[in-house]
């Protein structure tokens, strides 16, 4: 088979995007979704594989800035729109696109690449490690109550049309980004993602609604949600579907959740993407009736290992030599000495004896402070070569708050 891998050219978009839709089941997106993604996808960073006149592979990269431990925003390639036609699987097309893409990311000077995986088993062989988790809750609000912190009564709530307050909500979101690793600073145009609400995706729920929280006239929080009505013989059992919720302080956060719990004609609140250390778990009276589940979310790949490890800070002082395996990006292979603390870090090549041995995939998994080196070592994925080095490095890589990706891409 002879194929042509190339950057998208004028006139390629429709065939390229249809190939992507087919790879994800063949259901065409709404005009609203298609229009938004046509504006957000960066065509000069998107590639396709062509077999004659047919597009048989797609992949793209988005120019992101991702928060890391210490509060810095690091340039990152947001890998997206990856698909291979079912007629051309197992022919090396995905590998060729990943090869080209990571070479381009390196040339662009971005130290990391990030993605969300449709199937978790796919990207480990390309050096991506699962770096964040997301939590889903399905709360029985007829049996669960909230313990509200002081100041909740001072919070004023009101309905607003989502589009009317999106600029203010985006400004509040931006204030939160550097407080939690894994969050992305939204570039112009990405604020529209939070307003995307095609009727075909509602599954019987209402149009998107928004309630804002204020204190003394200042915006201190917001929630976007929909209500899905349902009834049974005994009465209403609708559910509140939470899209996203942000607040600047505990009282505002609790007030918004209390509002969601109290919506008439509903008996449950469902949120599909919350941090695993969400304060909600400390507010509820009975966590067992919150039906908590957890899954993988953001995957991280260190493209320039030294620059990536220097871009974040470390919870405690660390001085450790890593022996790194990276067959897919061999420029990262070898020994690296990382020295750092809460003020900064240096990571340079060294000939010194290694303290820990691991692959770049493990470094991606711990990069944002979610997974720990000790847990990976317990699974046989990290080897301690100097006694005590594992604990030292594992503690240093940790984060006070769980890393979290607030939305997909």
């Amino acid at each position: 088979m002879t194929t042509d891998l190339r950057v998208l050219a004028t006139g390629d978009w429709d065939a390229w995007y249809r190939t992507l839709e087919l790879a994800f089941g063949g259901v065409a997106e709404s005009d609203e979704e298609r229009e938004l993604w046509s504006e957000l996808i960066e065509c000069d960073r998107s590639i396709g594989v062509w077999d004659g006149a047919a597009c048989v592979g797609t992949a793209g990269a988005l120019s992101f800035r991702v928060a890391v431990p210490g509060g810095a925003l690091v340039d990152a390639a947001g890998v997206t729109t990856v698909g291979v036609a079912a007629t051309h699987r197992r022919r090396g097309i995905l590998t060729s696109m990943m090869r080209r893409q990571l070479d381009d990311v390196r040339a662009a000077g971005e130290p990391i690449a990030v993605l969300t995986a449709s199937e978790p088993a796919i990207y480990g062989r390309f050096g991506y490690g699962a770096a964040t988790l997301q939590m889903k809750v399905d709360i029985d609000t007829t049996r669960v109550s909230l313990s509200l912190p002081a100041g909740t009564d001072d919070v004023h709530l009101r309905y607003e049309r989502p589009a009317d307050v999106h600029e203010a909500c985006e400004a509040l979101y931006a204030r939160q980004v550097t407080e939690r690793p894994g969050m992305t600073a939204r570039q112009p145009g990405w604020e529209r993602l939070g307003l995307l609400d095609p009727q075909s995706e509602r599954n019987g729920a209402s149009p998107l609604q928004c309630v804002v929280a204020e204190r003394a006239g200042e915006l201190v929080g917001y929630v976007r949600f929909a209500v899905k009505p349902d009834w049974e013989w005994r009465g209403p059992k609708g559910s509140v579907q939470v899209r996203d919720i942000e607040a600047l302080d505990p009282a505002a956060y609790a007030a918004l959740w209390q509002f969601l719990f109290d919506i008439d004609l509903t008996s449950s609140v469902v949120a599909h993407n919350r941090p695993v250390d969400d304060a909600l778990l400390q507010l509820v009276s009975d966590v067992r009736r919150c039906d908590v589940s957890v899954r993988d979310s953001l995957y991280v790949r260190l493209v320039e290992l030294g620059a990536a490890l220097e871009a974040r800070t470390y919870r405690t002082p660390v001085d450790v030599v890593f022996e790194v395996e990276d067959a897919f990006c061999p420029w990262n292979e070898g020994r690296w000495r990382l020295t750092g603390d809460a003020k900064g870090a240096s990571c340079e090549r060294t000939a010194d004896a290694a303290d820990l041995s691991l692959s770049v995939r493990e470094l991606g998994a711990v990069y944002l402070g979610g997974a720990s080196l000790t847990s990976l070592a317990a699974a046989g994925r990290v080897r301690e070569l100097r006694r005590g080095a594992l604990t030292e490095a594992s503690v240093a890589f940790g984060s006070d708050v769980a890393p979290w990706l607030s939305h997909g891409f």
Side-chain angles (χ1 to χ4, degrees):
M1 180 186 70
T2 301
T3 56
D4 176 28
L5 190 159
R6 65 174 187 259
V7 175
L8 284 195
T10 302
D12 286 343
W13 167 263
D14 286 337
W16 182 87
Y17 202 75
R18 182 55 182 160
T19 298
L20 177 67
E21 288 178 327
L22 287 171
F24 281 85
V27 178
E29 291 185 332
S30 67
D31 291 343
E32 182 183 359
E33 292 172 290
R34 193 181 182 91
E35 178 186 359
L36 177 59
W37 289 116
S38 70
E39 296 179 15
L40 295 181
I41 290 172
E42 301 171 35
C43 286
D44 61 343
R45 304 198 67 182
S46 299
I47 54 178
V49 175
W50 302 79
D51 183 1
C55 180
V56 296
T58 65
L62 302 163
S63 301
F64 278 170
R65 301 179 73 209
V66 177
V68 299
L73 291 171
V74 175
D75 290 339
V79 176
T80 188
T81 60
V82 179
V84 176
T87 53
H88 286 66
R89 294 180 66 232
R90 305 191 189 285
R91 302 188 191 184
I93 289 176
L94 177 61
T95 299
S96 69
M97 292 192 296
M98 293 294 100
R99 170 78 280 136
R100 168 64 179 272
Q101 190 174 67
L102 286 172
D103 288 342
D104 289 349
V105 171
R106 187 189 187 201
E110 294 162 323
I112 64 173
V114 297
L115 58 80
T116 60
S118 56
E119 297 179 87
I122 293 176
Y123 293 97
R125 67 184 186 271
F126 304 120
Y128 288 86
T132 76
L133 299 172
Q134 68 182 59
M135 178 179 69
K136 176 186 174 183
V137 292
D138 188 341
I139 305 170
D140 179 356
T141 52
T142 67
R143 305 289 293 273
V144 179
S145 60
L146 295 173
S147 176
L148 302 179
T152 305
D153 291 341
D154 298 330
V155 179
H156 174 68
L157 304 179
R158 73 169 189 274
Y159 279 97
E160 289 282 2
R161 292 181 64 250
D164 290 346
V165 292
H166 80 277
E167 290 186 6
C169 292
E170 285 300 302
L172 188 145
Y173 171 87
R175 293 175 62 180
Q176 304 283 84
V177 168
T178 57
E179 301 298 317
R180 187 180 289 274
M183 293 183 71
T184 59
R186 291 204 271 256
Q187 305 295 343
W190 278 90
E191 74 282 354
R192 292 174 56 194
L193 186 66
L195 303 179
L196 190 63
D197 185 35
Q199 187 169 358
S200 59
E201 297 294 321
R202 293 176 187 166
N203 194 27
S206 71
L208 187 67
Q209 302 180 40
C210 180
V211 162
V212 297
E214 293 181 331
R215 183 183 296 106
E218 178 187 357
L219 182 71
V220 290
Y222 68 90
V223 60
R224 298 186 184 118
F225 64 98
V227 176
K228 184 175 182 179
D230 196 9
W231 300 81
E232 62 180 9
W233 179 259
R234 290 169 291 184
K237 60 168 189 175
S239 64
V240 182
Q241 312 284 325
V242 180
R243 172 81 68 87
D244 56 304
I245 180 170
E246 296 287 346
L248 298 181
D249 58 64
Y253 194 60
L256 288 167
W257 278 108
Q258 185 66 71
F259 160 76
L260 296 169
F261 274 43
D262 290 344
I263 293 177
D264 288 340
L265 307 181
T266 66
S267 59
S268 66
V269 172
V270 180
H272 288 270
N273 183 18
R274 300 304 305 156
V276 294
D277 63 348
D278 198 320
L280 175 65
L281 298 181
Q282 310 304 322
L283 295 173
V284 295
S285 60
D286 187 348
V287 73
R288 297 181 190 178
R289 296 187 182 277
C290 294
D291 194 13
V292 177
S293 56
V294 175
R295 54 161 282 183
D296 56 300
S297 181
L298 187 69
Y299 285 70
V300 172
R301 211 282 181 210
L302 307 192
V303 180
E304 287 286 5
L305 186 148
L309 294 183
E310 289 180 350
R312 56 156 292 177
T313 62
Y314 295 85
R315 202 176 196 179
T316 56
V318 62
D319 184 353
V320 64
V321 176
F322 294 113
E323 180 78 48
V324 180
E325 298 176 8
D326 191 352
F328 203 70
C329 294
W331 57 83
N332 287 326
E333 287 204 323
R335 295 179 188 171
W336 296 82
R337 178 178 289 277
L338 171 67
T339 56
D341 54 25
K343 295 180 180 179
S346 171
C347 187
E348 299 178 345
R349 289 198 172 275
T350 182
D352 294 343
D355 301 320
L356 297 173
S357 175
L358 73 178
S359 81
V360 73
R361 180 183 177 189
E362 282 67 58
L363 285 174
V366 302
Y367 183 67
L368 297 176
S372 72
L373 286 166
T374 52
S375 66
L376 292 169
R381 292 172 55 185
V382 177
R383 289 194 301 124
E384 184 179 48
L385 306 176
R386 172 177 63 82
R387 187 176 180 85
L390 178 62
T391 298
E392 173 193 342
S394 190
V395 173
F397 269 81
S399 171
D400 289 339
V401 296
W404 175 60
L405 176 67
S406 56
H407 61 81
F409 53 88

